[in-house]
Amino acid sequence: GEMDPENQLAYTTFLSAVQKLKKEGWLEHEEQGRAHVFFPATSREKEGARSLQRLLKQIFHGDPMLLFQNLIQQTGLSEKELNELRKMIDQRKEELKK
């Protein structure tokens, strides 16, 4: 059947947004009968890692120490957060010994 004009506008707005996300590589879809099932093209973890690599390369010239230096000095980390960072560093050092 026909959609009423308000639903048609919502549908076309949704369709436009979905097409843009697909074009930019954020969404993929598969057809299941007459329906389209959409899913993310990448995981949050993978995209986060990719974004961090771009940030590291473009802003910090590929030097992770500059990134950490800025993180520690500029973000106002609490003592608790600094202790958590210390734990992560210690864990990573243990992993490297194996």
Side-chain angles (χ1 to χ4, degrees), residues 33-52:
R34 292 181 57 200
H36 293 264
V37 178
F38 294 92
F39 51 92
T42 185
S43 70
R44 177 176 282 168
E45 291 81 15
K46 284 182 187 175
E47 192 53 40
R50 252 196 308 258
S51 295
L52 182 58

Side-chain angles (χ1 to χ4, degrees), residues 22 28-39:
K22 280 186 64 185
E28 293 180 7
H29 82 281
E30 60 185 40
E31 293 180 27
Q32 293 183 357
R34 292 181 57 200
H36 293 264
V37 178
F38 294 92
F39 51 92

